[in-house]
Amino acid sequence: MDAAEFRKRGKEMVDYIADYLEKIDKRQVFPDVEPGYLRPLIPDCAPQDPESFEDVFKDIEKIIMPGVTHWHSPYFFAYFPAASSFPALLADMLCGGIGCVGFSWAASPACTELETVMLDWLGKMINLPEAFLAGKDGQGGGVIQGSASEATLISLLAARTKTIRWLQSEKPELTEADIMSRLVAYASDQAHSSVERAALIGAVKIKKVPSGDTFSVCGSALKKVLDEDKASGLIPFFFCATLGTTPCCSFDKLLELGPICNKENIWMHIDAAYAGSAFICPEFRHLLNGVEFADSFNFNPHKWLLVNFDCSAMWVKKRSDLTGAFKLEPLYLQHHHQDINEAKKIHLVPCHLREKFVLRFAICSRTVESTHIKFAWQHISQLATDLLKTWEQNHHQQ
């Protein structure tokens, strides 16, 4: 597919999507298929020869749509809202077209900086305390995760690392294994199963705190469990409060729970995946009171805020708690050693190959031709020659 055909097919796809969404109420909301329906309808192996775009396009209605659950149907009342909007769809097209992978600032500065600023915007919209915002010099900040499950796991792992390091600084004789065997995380008995899964992945114990008549966890219930576990020699280190539980949208009592967590040096994470978007409305913002006691907070714009999946917003008071827990910085991800890119003619990253400093030369774009490779090699050769001359001059002067 060349650019001309892409323009043509792109218009066709936009028309198809617009028609699909405009007439979605005419489709049966839940598919009438059995598990395994799809396999007999498609070949066992990928075809040796390509099919025309028209034939592939026909398969959408013929094969795919019969097995689709229509999440945007007005008759869909399951799980949670899956936000979408025409501006978000267009933004997804742009993201796919640019196609950069922004895993570090240098990988694409705009990715990192736009994400940081947008999370500050969103944090201000729900009136998060200043400590959670990056600003120009703040210690906190936001980051987009794929899901609330990821946010909970990352918070728990960061809390685990922070607790282990603190305890070992206080009692150097304690081994990591000693501490790990005694660590305990806590969550409401109404919390999402992803919290329990995070503890399983993090290899720590987790205990469910009983909720009250309104399906909310209160301070006295948490304190009772903590006192019992500390008396048994366990080490409480993490509590996940839920704002908007999956079964009934109940809210744990942050104003009671937060001070207890702060006093006990327990990391408090707030999972507001489902209901967090509501805090934009002033009449619902009081449900977030107590967030000032938390170490991390998360909600999913991809549920209520017309943003396509996946966009799970997470904030921390001290981003160093996260970077300190997970930071591994190989040479190819560092921002220094970028002299080779100073002229902006080509872009390379270095790495260490045992004791040697190596420039990685990877063919990345499918439009690369031999002329581009020759140009790059000439540029690298000239830089290497200049470097060697400078080294020889300095060596002779010494």
Side-chain angles (χ1 to χ4, degrees), residues 384-395:
T385 301
D386 294 344
L387 180 64
L388 287 172
K389 285 181 180 177
T390 303
W391 181 84
E392 288 173 354
Q393 290 171 359
N394 293 339
H395 183 71

Side-chain angles (χ1 to χ4, degrees), residues 90-142:
L90 292 175
D92 263 5
M93 286 181 65
L94 179 61
C95 289
I98 295 173
C100 58
V101 185
F103 48 71
S104 69
W105 182 89
S108 190
C111 282
T112 299
E113 299 200 13
L114 184 62
E115 180 178 1
T116 301
V117 174
M118 291 301 100
L119 268 293
D120 273 2
W121 279 19
L122 190 55
K124 291 174 182 177
M125 288 170 72
I126 60 174
N127 199 20
L128 276 183
E130 192 76 21
F132 284 100
L133 307 180
K136 291 184 178 179
D137 304 303
Q139 295 183 37

Side-chain angles (χ1 to χ4, degrees), residues 345-361:
K345 294 180 178 180
I346 64 171
H347 191 62
L348 289 173
V349 292
C351 67
H352 279 135
L353 189 61
R354 293 182 177 160
E355 294 81 23
K356 291 185 172 62
F357 183 88
V358 178
L359 291 177
R360 294 181 69 257
F361 191 94

Side-chain angles (χ1 to χ4, degrees), residues 80-198:
F80 50 81
S84 180
S85 62
F86 292 128
L89 290 169
L90 292 175
D92 263 5
M93 286 181 65
L94 179 61
C95 289
I98 295 173
C100 58
V101 185
F103 48 71
S104 69
W105 182 89
S108 190
C111 282
T112 299
E113 299 200 13
L114 184 62
E115 180 178 1
T116 301
V117 174
M118 291 301 100
L119 268 293
D120 273 2
W121 279 19
L122 190 55
K124 291 174 182 177
M125 288 170 72
I126 60 174
N127 199 20
L128 276 183
E130 192 76 21
F132 284 100
L133 307 180
K136 291 184 178 179
D137 304 303
Q139 295 183 37
V143 63
I144 296 174
Q145 305 294 345
S147 66
S149 302
E150 290 177 34
T152 300
L153 174 61
I154 288 171
S155 299
L156 183 141
L157 295 177
R160 186 188 70 178
T161 299
K162 186 176 182 179
T163 301
I164 290 171
R165 289 175 179 170
W166 175 72
L167 287 172
Q168 287 184 323
S169 69
E170 294 287 312
K171 299 178 180 179
E173 70 276 9
L174 288 175
T175 67
E176 185 171 324
D178 291 334
I179 299 169
M180 284 283 291
S181 66
R182 295 160 57 199
L183 290 178
V184 189
Y186 303 87
S188 165
D189 57 13
Q190 301 298 311
H192 193 271
S193 60
S194 59
V195 185
E196 193 170 355
R197 191 179 304 117

Side-chain angles (χ1 to χ4, degrees), residues 28-91:
Q28 182 174 299
V29 62
F30 189 78
D32 190 18
V33 296
E34 298 295 328
Y37 92 96
L38 184 64
R39 187 173 291 277
L41 302 179
I42 57 178
D44 287 338
C45 304
Q48 291 293 325
D49 300 312
E51 295 183 349
S52 69
F53 185 84
E54 287 86 356
D55 287 341
V56 173
F57 202 82
K58 288 175 185 175
D59 285 345
I60 298 174
E61 281 296 331
K62 181 182 175 183
I63 298 175
I64 304 303
M65 282 299 177
V68 169
T69 300
H70 299 288
W71 280 58
H72 299 286
S73 167
Y75 301 106
F76 183 90
F77 303 104
Y79 309 118
F80 50 81
S84 180
S85 62
F86 292 128
L89 290 169
L90 292 175

